[in-house]
Amino acid sequence: MDVLSLDIMVAALRLAMPIALVALGETFSERSGIINIGVEGTALAGALIGATVAFFSGSSVVGLCAALGVGMLLGLIHAVWCVYLRADHVVTGAAINLLVIGLALFLTRVVWGWRGTSAAVPTLNPWILVWGMVGLIVLAQVYLFRTPWGLRLRVVGEHPQAADTAGINVFRTRVAYSVLNGALCGLAGAFLVNNLGRFSVGMVGGRGFIGIAAMVVGNYRPIPAFLAAYLFGFVDALQMRLQDVIPSHFSIMLPYVLTVVVLAGFLGRAHVPAALGKPYIKDQG
Amino acid sequence: MNNRERSLSGEAVRLEGIVKRFSGVTANAGIDLSLNYGEVHGLLGENGAGKTVLMSVLYGLYRPTEGQIYLKDRPVAISSPAVAIRAGIGMVHQHFMLVPRLTVADNMVVGWETLWGPFLDRSRIRRRIGELSEQYGLEVDPSARVEELSVGEQQRVEIVKALYRGAEVLILDEPTATLPEQEVESFFATIRALRDEGKAVVFITHKLREALTICDRVTVLRKGEKVGTVPASQATESQLAEMMVGREVVFEVQRERVASEGQPLLRVEGLTAVDDRGVPAVQEVGFTVHDHEIVGVAGVQGNGQSELVEAICGLSRLRQGQVMVDGEDLSGAPPRKMAQAGLVHIPEDRHRRGLILDFSVGENSILGRQYESPFAIGQVGQSKRAIAGYARELVERFNIVVPGVRTPARALSGGNQQRVILARELDRKPKVIVAAQPTRGLDVAGIEFVWEQLLAMRREGAAILLVSMDLDELLTLADRLVVMYQGKLVGERKPGETDKQEIGLLMLGGAVETA
Ligand SMILES: Nc1ncnc2c1ncn2[C@@H]1O[C@H](COP(=O)(O)OP(=O)(O)OP(=O)(O)O)[C@@H](O)[C@H]1O
Ligand SMILES: [Mg+2]
């Protein structure tokens, strides 16, 4: 069997894309100082709402837009809690994850009468999305390191007080990039639906968390994070082929085992933005 | 935006009746201040007098509760630093506002970028920085990372940063507090150049002599109120001190002779330590501090003093060598063990090592003893009442100006933050005190106070290692002086048998060891 064909490398790109989108979104968010572990749930929400809207409207594009919309909404909610109400980022993110699972179980039952899955929904040629995303990731790298907005973003996440005294609105910046993160996660969910042709509650299956891992391995840089995501996608694709060779119970574990192993090697080495997870308090008596 | 072209003369800024209240605390109580172009205006006052708050109001960081700001006679509302920057106001903060990981150039331009299309025009930015640094004699390397720079260099970066943004009113909040004496003169030359160019410079300092040297006019604040503005040419140090404190300050410490019993309380042998980057910073240093003795360590910043202190106190790993506290070998012991053996540390970086800024004054006052009774209840509990009671006692005894013991340390003025640390450490009745820059940023009364405290500890028998950039301080307090240069001790002197000049030379590595 030809395991390492070009075919599998291309297939891996498709499997990597949702992970890469989450990694990119989380890179922006954490660069501004906001941790969002709710990316898992946000991607699920994008998938759920994207599938539902696509199902009823009969248009995959309208579904995609709905996925973006719900992602942005969740990103906004997360930002408001973290930035203005100074809630703990991890707790808020975990709440989003739980909320969306509940919502998914409820909605699939109401709409399709089944628990946890949908009927088939209209899809789109995935390759338009895939190549669009590759372009987006290159752009993001340039944006982050070559433009004034990217510089401001980095300063906000490293030293919000310095940003403030340089005339940058820390609160608005954080909210904006949190919303962007939500949008990208929503898109990741829509992409998963597009790959499968339907919605299922387990479909994100940890890819949100793996996306965060890819961001760490990529040291908070879009292109390296994408490459890390691609590695995970590749192992995922490989795993599918290997199912004829080794028991699937084991092969299915591969991407997750890889995540743990790789992450253990990189965790200490990545530079975490200095103000990550800390609320910015502006004294105004 | 064309008002940037204005002629630089006459009144630049006028503050009228500025009041700033923070829930309960009045930091500024109706202050009038006028700044002219082409003048260096000194702003003096004790710790907590309201200098930083007043200037933060001008820079748009705080909204005044009452009062009006005029720029060139036009009333303005400065609602954010962005507005202030556009209006030509720049501020160099008491604690620098630089991102360590970014380059000097990126730090300077963020929020005020020079662009090429949508991109940062890094080559033009570098060129502009080069021009500014040449024009004002402020040497900076645009492509260096800020984390690699010394304090003096970072300060130059901050000034050029303000100038890059076109500042015509430049606020300098205690710029000389962290500057070694050797660099003060060239720093003054820069200020004079700025003034001669017509800029309005606000210079905040606690050093009266400096204020009289460089300023044209001096305004004194006391407890949030303005005491008055006087021309520097007609003022004297004692007059300014009296305006600040409201009473006459006798600036003389009683340094009575006390006999040492010759007990070596702190003994360091062959100590070698590396800095954050792993470069050897201290090499084979050894000395002894006895009971009833203050040993001063002089040296230009960055010659290994910080690393020496951290290695002694167990804050960084010891490469080699021994640290003995009262006869007990504590080489490489963790800080808690050190503290239990009777060694306390007054850290030079009070924000990083001395305080947890978001914790209350009360909690900060027991840091390091949080596990002791009566502050701890069992293994996990905390007695809020015991903590608050103890903190109140310290606040009282050490004259700390705070709204209350529940206030976060962040909201204290710089000098009062330092007092919290001092109170906490000295109250442990230490045998050995390692004090690094203990009077940095303190007002005259505060310095007097710290000096008295250190001398009192000496009288009671403590061994004190005093690391300071202030030669006057060292010569006043120390029984013996050692000089550090490039990680080594290059000389030992007795204060009575030397002078500032000789020490200054040794600090620059300019003399061979004769002792
Ligand atoms: N954000 C804040 N919240 C509450 N109180 C504050 C805040 N900032 C400052 N204060 C209080 O206002 C007063 C004036 O503080 P300010 O920092 O202006 O003093 P300062 O003159 O600069 O002193 P120093 O020389 O020690 O820096 C202090 O009593 C301080 O505790
Ligand atoms: Mg101040």
Side-chain angles (χ1 to χ4, degrees), chain A residues 142 145-149 151-152 154-155 158-159 161-162 164-168 221 271 281-285, chain B residues 20 22 59 61-63 81-82 85 93 97-99 101-102 106 110-111 113 115 118-120 122 165:
Chain A
V142 173
F145 296 105
R146 305 252 169 243
T147 71
W149 308 286
L151 176 61
R152 293 175 190 188
R154 286 182 287 143
V155 172
E158 286 285 337
H159 196 332
Q161 249 177 318
D164 196 1
T165 56
I168 298 162
R221 289 157 198 267
H271 173 78
I281 303 168
K282 208 174 146 93
D283 327 86
Q284 275 295 346
Chain B
K20 178 65 195 171
F22 296 100
Y59 191 63
L61 281 167
Y62 296 144
R63 290 281 196 105
I85 294 168
H93 299 265
M97 295 294 172
L98 299 170
V99 182
R101 286 184 41 87
L102 295 188
D106 281 357
V110 65
E113 301 88 353
L115 298 184
F119 304 110
L120 293 166
R122 290 210 159 95
R165 286 150 207 252

Side-chain angles (χ1 to χ4, degrees), chain B residues 116-129:
Chain B
W116 182 78
F119 304 110
L120 293 166
D121 190 342
R122 290 210 159 95
S123 66
R124 228 167 75 210
I125 289 169
R126 261 198 295 273
R127 219 171 318 131
R128 180 87 188 103
I129 293 172

Side-chain angles (χ1 to χ4, degrees), chain A residues 283, chain B residues 22 25-28 45-54 62 94 173-174 206 401 403 407 410-416 441:
Chain A
D283 327 86
Chain B
F22 296 100
V25 195
T26 304
N28 291 161
E46 298 186 88
N47 293 129
K51 306 177 293 290
T52 300
V53 168
L54 185 66
Y62 296 144
Q94 199 167 352
D173 197 351
E174 296 193 34
H206 287 296
V401 184
T407 315
R410 186 182 294 287
L412 263 54
S413 78
N416 283 304

